[in-house]
Amino acid sequence: MTTTIRKILIANRGEIAVRIARACRDAGITSAAVYSDPDRMASHVRVADEAYGLGGTTSAETYLRQDKIIETAHKCGAEAIHPGYGFLAENHEFAALCRDNGLIFIGPPPEVIALLGDKIQARRMAEKAGLPVVPGSIQNVDQIDTARSEAYGIGYPVLIKAAAGGGGKGMRIVNDPEGLGAALSTAASEAGSAFGDRRVYIEKYIPRPRHIEVQILGDAHGNVIHLGERECSIQRRHQKVIEESPSVIVDDAMRAEMGEAAVALAKEAGYIGAGTVEFLVDENKKFYFLEVNTRLQVEHPVTEMVTGLDLVQEQFRIARGKKLSVRQKDIDRRGHAIECRIYAEDASAGFIPCTGHLSAYQEPSGPGVRVDSGFLDGDDVPVYYDPLIAKLIVWGSDRTQAIQRMRRALNEYVIQGIETTIPFGRLVMGSESFQSGRLSTHFIEDEFSDLAESLSQTDGDILMAAMTAALVDYRLQLRLLAVSRRARSEENPWKISGRQAGLRTRWTR
Amino acid sequence: MTTTIRKILIANRGEIAVRIARACRDAGITSAAVYSDPDRMASHVRVADEAYGLGGTTSAETYLRQDKIIETAHKCGAEAIHPGYGFLAENHEFAALCRDNGLIFIGPPPEVIALLGDKIQARRMAEKAGLPVVPGSIQNVDQIDTARSEAYGIGYPVLIKAAAGGGGKGMRIVNDPEGLGAALSTAASEAGSAFGDRRVYIEKYIPRPRHIEVQILGDAHGNVIHLGERECSIQRRHQKVIEESPSVIVDDAMRAEMGEAAVALAKEAGYIGAGTVEFLVDENKKFYFLEVNTRLQVEHPVTEMVTGLDLVQEQFRIARGKKLSVRQKDIDRRGHAIECRIYAEDASAGFIPCTGHLSAYQEPSGPGVRVDSGFLDGDDVPVYYDPLIAKLIVWGSDRTQAIQRMRRALNEYVIQGIETTIPFGRLVMGSESFQSGRLSTHFIEDEFSDLAESLSQTDGDILMAAMTAALVDYRLQLRLLAVSRRARSEENPWKISGRQAGLRTRWTR
Amino acid sequence: MKKVQVSTADRSFAFELWFENGRYFVRGEGGEHVVDLIPLRNNRYSLIIDGRSYETGVEVASDGYVVFTGARSHRFIVEDYEIAQMKRQAGIDDWAREMLLTAPMPGLVLAVNCRPGDRVEKNQPLLVMEAMKMENDIKSPLTGIIRTVAVAPGQNVDKNQTLIEFEPWRNPEKPVPE
Amino acid sequence: MKKVQVSTADRSFAFELWFENGRYFVRGEGGEHVVDLIPLRNNRYSLIIDGRSYETGVEVASDGYVVFTGARSHRFIVEDYEIAQMKRQAGIDDWAREMLLTAPMPGLVLAVNCRPGDRVEKNQPLLVMEAMKMENDIKSPLTGIIRTVAVAPGQNVDKNQTLIEFEPWRNPEKPVPE
């Protein structure tokens, strides 16, 4: 029994809303965007077929307002809601609210989201499905005695993690028994204030893990397949910034093993939809279950480039109650794909967000290059939301070609007006360690002890930049001179310029 | 014995020069652009590592000046010259001149270009290699008696073609013996003035052929492979405008048969480089050799999208004396690719070229979309050269998805300031005949008896456009009103506007 | 509230417009619409018309507006409705006055296939021009009568140079007189 | 011919410039260069320097130029060389005068980790700001001494609002005094 979907409301913004609107267009489905006041001119509003204002500015006033979104869906006649990632994507209450309102939530059933969203429950289920997990407790260890005996059993160093966690919050590395008590209470309190849930648990700390994840798809007919892995080890603030597929350390046997593990867990959980099973991989290539993301990932395009599948269109199929378009044996992986996330962040200042006006913006293109962007020339990057401008994804017949094409595309990409992670992407692509595939989640700290310094070293063009400033200034002077000559003015433009220099006020960094 | 190439001079302009510069960047080779005076700001100059002015305006003064190009190559230290397509790409004298000057010409040896560039010789060689050819003479038929007996043998209707021909020049369809004499002399005289070569020959006229071509690659070690076909039936002025791969009528057996024929001919000719063997295919799927293009084709990206190979990089390998990177059995074709050429032409006025200023320019992107462009926002499209702005290429897992993605990409593509073939592309993608694959080189005339009318019918948005004009005018009036109020002016802005309307001068079409 | 007439060479639309609470309202063909109109860069506008999102380019020409929708460009004259009606009654027709065929690109005139006084059909080839290394038929933009041919074979012309002037004639109800 | 000094906070370059036959000539570090400089849209420029092709953005700020190369943005002051030398002799340093740390984005100050009189190292975290739902360390742009701290924890700040002023100090030959 399959349903027809004629219109989808996209409960998101930025590049992922644009991505979903494009998939709607490809599928012949009408897309309806929603927007906050500062997003009226945003790309997702312009690219969608329809657009409805939510009224308000912050995420809490707009993209997180379940009532407004449901109401808009009803008003515009959408049958389904795509939540993208972030915002309401992993909110099981919202998924349930959609169902209660006769709307299709494009994602797993609320019960599955709730189950896998709880790290302790997800870990228990992974164990049940036979997945290797990081040695540790699967219970709440808020009592110091329990914690002590757990940690003793696991062996130091250990990691305290929040049950409801994410983004490194409520997480502490403990190297010896002395530090345990203090770490336990600060982690619990941090988890309490960040997630409203003080529960924490203890795991073996794996020193230099790789972050490797497996893309899964499950339909309502019990079919679950995996599309191979993505390596997402390069992270800042525990958040991914560069991803690729395949991983240099994953061979066919390991891919099959990880894939089967991911599928086993998904089947155990009754998974329906697109999702990702995340693993940590230690220095001996042993992998451990980490968590499940019950949604489309930011980095899904690298899997699309390698498999040729359109994951958002697969989500649409699944939501309509249809079977997956492919079986496991049909999955034909080809070549190598890399994604660099282009954030409005200054990597040389600790990846600090930079908002502002895109005074010039020009995307790269050509063979093997895809840009999933949420911005257009002349847009402003607002302060209220995630600073992701675009994702630059390249494909090459092998990893070397993919790296070369990424370097070319990063070189062509013009973003003027704000700092971005483009120079950082260049630095990584040019580094011997990335090229030889020596990755871990500590990649940035390990490779660049002083990132600002490394970035400025790659910056051999300061002389050229200085020369350009001199030339542009000189050109301006010549033009002023020509104008003043034409006007037969007595005033010498060099003087004017000198005076202007004297009026110089403050210089901001 | 392989050579190293550190720097390549690109003896071309526009999108193909950009394409080659990107391939150079991917291969770690320095690219040197050349440019005419009007092209100083052109994309290919900006994207290349180096750029040298040729001085002059027209093609004859610049991109066709063999002496200037060789001199520039020497001056900048390039070891090789890539001619792109058009200009000097199929000029065997230039290829020989490069060789004489110690420069690598990226293309086949001069002798092969000369041989295959002559249609009569090429046809003879094709017959020798066992390829089916259109029934007809392979000799010069400038004598009416010879022509008459030839035509009688073939059976009317017949086609008179120029030996040195191309682009429909020197070509005449003859339906009966009475018309033969006149057609022969006009064709010969047209061929004489167009190519400086009056030789013509006679072929059986095939009424509604498809144009299907096979991409080949040959290295200096005697390896020749084919990469499957491209269907290029949609043509205007005998020039391709929309291409795709695979062709809807070519199955694996036919692909193998055509491919093997193309390879046999290439081997017979001692072919080295990338090239294309063109065929006409009649309504019974019987194919006939047409001609060989001894260069990269405009439409090469559709093959790249389907095979994952980078043809320009393969050209570099071949030029360096290396073996091809793949063998015939490695060729793994996946999905479907379509290319729409975006010309600065007004399809509704018989594809008349339109030059001018790109007052806004925004390329589409996202899943499956590639743009090979020669222009950037704010550029001018000059009058002196080919009116090709860009090539829009899409890939889909099947033809239906490719068409959908092409429709989406054409819809997203913003080119403001001049007319382009984007509306034509939309019309074709939306037509039932294209969707069901009913193609022939007469596609445009057959499907759109009044193309201008068909284009304006798809144009349901004239009401919206009119409303926009009214609104923008009204907005301007409101702003004038606000300004005049602020200035406490006595003058009524409605009046100002009325007066402006009165001052209206000429209206150009 | 303002009433305007928006016209191309062969169609015209009447709209009533007003502005209220930051939104534009338009009444005309197809009923009443609420429009949110926001200017973007490069003379482009984002419009949300009754919830549907459009993007268009609108360039102000000396003699009206050129609207670039995704598909095509359209040239419009926008006039006060009352003035347009008065003009019409007085027999003034801006479009008819402006019936020129101009060169779409610089180039060389190879042939002229019409003479003053000829009655020509829309899309009938009137001249042949060489430009961009191709011969291009220049076709009639309308069905009408030729008043003057401003160029001759062999002549180089600039872009937008007048090639042909037509007799003023425009009445959608009546065909061009034979 | 004109001689200028182009300076950032910690480097300066001297160039002699002249214009001849439609080309610019620059003499400075790395020798003499022939430059073809063409303005593009959006304050971007195409430069061909001795045959090498570059594209940069140059925005004129009230106090100098911001040059966007592919990799980074650089802020420069461009001055007449003689004037710059005179200033230097008179002990005037535009950069030292302008040693401010300003807010890179609007947000909330969560913590201030320095006090007036502190000697701080380049890249040392001085404040914590919350913006875009993240806590961000704001680091010192230079090694120097803090004169004033203009904000306090709990305070909302606008983009470019001054957070910290440093003591004027600049002499590349000598380190900051302990």
Side-chain angles (χ1 to χ4, degrees), chain A residues 46-47 376, chain B residues 342 357-365 371 373 375-378 389-390 392 408-418 420 422 426, chain C residues 40-45 54-59 68-71, chain D residues 41:
Chain A
R46 290 153 66 182
V47 86
L376 295 164
Chain B
I342 311 300
H357 180 69
L358 300 175
S359 59
Y361 182 82
Q362 172 83 43
E363 291 174 0
S365 189
V371 184
S373 168
F375 291 87
L376 294 165
D377 189 30
I389 297 174
L392 173 58
R408 182 239 302 168
L410 288 166
N411 198 63
E412 276 183 26
Y413 212 141
V414 172
I415 302 184
Q416 183 175 307
I418 56 173
T420 71
I422 289 175
R426 287 185 180 181
Chain C
L40 309 167
R41 190 176 267 204
N42 294 340
N43 298 315
R44 294 189 66 76
Y45 293 84
Y54 297 95
E55 193 175 317
T56 57
V58 184
E59 299 194 345
F68 296 86
T69 63
Chain D
R41 189 177 270 203

Side-chain angles (χ1 to χ4, degrees), chain B residues 121-415:
Chain B
Q121 287 196 63
R123 196 187 144 108
R124 242 180 230 135
M125 179 151 289
E127 286 193 295
K128 200 171 153 201
L131 273 67
V133 298
V134 179
S137 79
I138 52 165
Q139 61 186 36
N140 183 7
V141 290
D142 57 353
Q143 300 299 314
I144 181 71
D145 295 345
T146 330
R148 193 152 286 155
S149 73
E150 283 287 351
Y152 179 79
I154 296 164
Y156 288 90
V158 297
L159 192 66
I160 303 173
K161 293 171 80 175
K169 278 181 181 161
M171 201 185 278
R172 285 289 181 284
I173 300 165
V174 185
N175 290 308
D176 47 50
E178 288 67 49
L180 191 66
L184 199 67
S185 62
T186 55
S189 112
E190 207 173 283
S193 66
F195 313 112
D197 179 350
R198 289 178 55 88
R199 289 174 307 144
V200 293
Y201 62 101
I202 295 185
E203 273 183 5
K204 174 79 186 159
Y205 175 68
I206 297 171
R208 277 191 155 49
R210 288 171 180 258
H211 177 113
I212 299 179
E213 62 189 27
V214 175
Q215 175 69 49
I216 54 166
L217 290 175
D219 65 25
H221 306 272
N223 302 302
V224 183
I225 63 171
H226 74 87
L227 306 182
E229 82 286 2
R230 293 183 288 259
E231 164 134 24
C232 316
S233 297
I234 302 184
Q235 305 187 349
R236 52 107 186 70
R237 288 195 289 266
H238 299 282
Q239 288 177 336
K240 300 158 193 169
V241 63
I242 295 176
E243 302 97 343
E244 64 183 310
S245 182
S247 161
V248 284
I249 63 152
V250 175
D251 56 19
D252 286 344
M254 186 172 174
R255 179 170 306 117
E257 204 187 336
M258 292 180 84
E260 281 156 23
V263 167
L265 172 56
K267 285 191 168 165
E268 185 70 36
Y271 202 89
I272 301 172
T276 297
V277 182
E278 297 189 331
F279 295 97
L280 288 182
V281 180
D282 71 15
E283 285 158 323
N284 304 315
K285 293 198 192 184
K286 193 159 157 40
F287 62 88
Y288 304 95
F289 169 74
L290 185 64
E291 65 181 61
V292 181
N293 292 138
T294 57
R295 54 165 165 86
L296 198 65
Q297 299 278 85
V298 177
E299 60 274 19
H300 76 277
V302 295
T303 300
E304 295 185 323
M305 300 286 267
V306 166
T307 61
L309 287 174
D310 185 318
L311 292 181
V312 182
Q313 300 232 41
E314 291 298 326
Q315 289 188 303
F316 295 166
R317 285 183 72 92
I318 296 165
R320 292 180 52 201
K322 293 181 78 175
K323 287 189 178 169
L324 298 176
S325 72
V326 283
R327 286 158 303 176
Q328 189 66 54
K329 68 179 179 60
D330 301 328
I331 303 302
D332 167 29
R333 294 172 56 87
R334 184 160 94 178
H336 198 100
I338 305 177
E339 171 178 286
C340 281
R341 302 190 189 185
I342 311 300
Y343 281 107
E345 292 182 354
D346 185 353
S348 70
F351 291 95
I352 200 167
C354 303
T355 57
H357 180 69
L358 300 175
S359 59
Y361 182 82
Q362 172 83 43
E363 291 174 0
S365 189
V369 175
R370 164 175 165 185
V371 184
D372 275 20
S373 168
F375 291 87
L376 294 165
D377 189 30
D379 281 359
D380 289 305
V381 180
V383 70
Y384 311 102
Y385 319 107
D386 188 75
L388 184 62
I389 297 174
K391 299 179 319 205
L392 173 58
I393 311 110
V394 299
W395 181 91
S397 55
D398 56 24
R399 190 169 187 265
T400 306
Q401 192 182 53
I403 292 173
Q404 288 288 80
R405 285 180 165 172
M406 182 58 89
R407 296 178 81 174
R408 182 239 302 168
L410 288 166
N411 198 63
E412 276 183 26
Y413 212 141
V414 172
I415 302 184

Side-chain angles (χ1 to χ4, degrees), chain A residues 38-354:
Chain A
D39 274 347
R40 167 63 184 87
M41 286 159 72
S43 206
H44 75 284
V45 173
R46 290 153 66 182
V47 86
D49 295 316
E50 301 181 6
Y52 300 93
L54 294 172
T57 300
T58 64
S59 299
E61 290 162 5
T62 55
Y63 302 106
L64 289 169
R65 279 287 295 269
Q66 307 189 16
D67 55 340
K68 287 185 182 176
I69 287 165
I70 298 278
E71 186 199 322
T72 306
H74 282 313
K75 191 178 71 181
C76 76
E79 295 100 348
I81 295 182
H82 197 306
Y85 53 71
F87 295 127
L88 300 169
E90 291 179 285
N91 185 317
H92 64 91
E93 287 164 5
F94 180 66
L97 190 65
C98 288
R99 188 165 63 186
D100 297 345
N101 277 274
L103 294 162
I104 298 168
F105 174 83
I106 299 181
E111 300 73 23
V112 176
I113 299 175
L115 176 73
L116 296 172
D118 182 297
K119 292 211 172 182
I120 292 179
Q121 286 196 63
R123 197 188 144 108
R124 244 181 226 133
M125 180 151 287
E127 285 193 297
K128 199 170 153 200
L131 274 67
V133 296
V134 179
S137 80
I138 55 165
Q139 60 187 37
N140 183 7
V141 288
D142 57 353
Q143 300 299 315
I144 179 72
D145 293 345
T146 330
R148 193 153 284 155
S149 72
E150 283 286 352
Y152 179 78
I154 296 163
Y156 288 90
V158 296
L159 192 64
I160 302 174
K161 292 172 81 175
K169 278 183 181 160
M171 201 185 278
R172 285 290 180 285
I173 301 166
V174 184
N175 288 309
D176 47 50
E178 286 68 49
L180 189 65
L184 198 68
S185 61
T186 55
S189 113
E190 207 173 287
S193 67
F195 313 113
D197 180 348
R198 291 179 54 90
R199 288 176 306 144
V200 293
Y201 62 102
I202 295 185
E203 272 183 4
K204 175 80 187 157
Y205 174 68
I206 297 171
R208 278 191 153 49
R210 287 170 181 258
H211 177 115
I212 298 179
E213 61 189 28
V214 174
Q215 176 69 49
I216 54 167
L217 290 175
D219 65 24
H221 305 275
N223 301 304
V224 183
I225 63 171
H226 75 87
L227 306 181
E229 82 286 2
R230 293 184 288 261
E231 165 136 23
C232 316
S233 297
I234 302 184
Q235 305 187 349
R236 53 105 186 71
R237 288 195 290 267
H238 300 281
Q239 289 178 336
K240 301 159 190 168
V241 61
I242 295 176
E243 301 97 343
E244 63 182 312
S245 182
S247 161
V248 284
I249 62 152
V250 176
D251 57 19
D252 287 344
M254 187 173 171
R255 179 170 305 116
E257 203 187 335
M258 291 180 85
E260 281 156 23
V263 168
L265 172 56
K267 285 193 168 162
E268 184 70 36
Y271 202 89
I272 301 172
T276 297
V277 182
E278 296 189 331
F279 296 96
L280 288 182
V281 180
D282 71 15
E283 284 159 324
N284 303 315
K285 294 200 192 181
K286 192 159 158 40
F287 62 86
Y288 303 95
F289 169 74
L290 184 64
E291 65 181 61
V292 181
N293 291 138
T294 58
R295 53 165 167 87
L296 198 66
Q297 300 276 85
V298 177
E299 60 271 20
H300 75 276
V302 295
T303 299
E304 295 186 324
M305 300 287 268
V306 166
T307 62
L309 288 174
D310 186 319
L311 293 182
V312 182
Q313 300 233 41
E314 291 298 326
Q315 288 188 303
F316 295 166
R317 286 182 72 92
I318 296 166
R320 292 180 52 201
K322 294 180 78 175
K323 287 188 179 171
L324 298 176
S325 73
V326 283
R327 286 158 303 177
Q328 188 66 53
K329 68 180 179 60
D330 302 327
I331 302 303
D332 167 29
R333 295 170 57 87
R334 184 161 91 178
H336 198 99
I338 305 177
E339 170 178 288
C340 282
R341 301 191 190 183
I342 312 300
Y343 281 106
E345 293 181 355
D346 185 351
S348 69
F351 291 95
I352 203 168
C354 304

Side-chain angles (χ1 to χ4, degrees), chain D residues 146-167:
Chain D
I146 296 194
R147 176 193 271 172
T148 42
V149 176
V151 291
Q155 186 175 339
N156 274 303
V157 294
D158 291 329
K159 187 172 176 172
N160 293 332
Q161 185 173 332
T162 299
L163 304 173
I164 282 169
E165 285 182 64
F166 295 90
E167 290 288 343

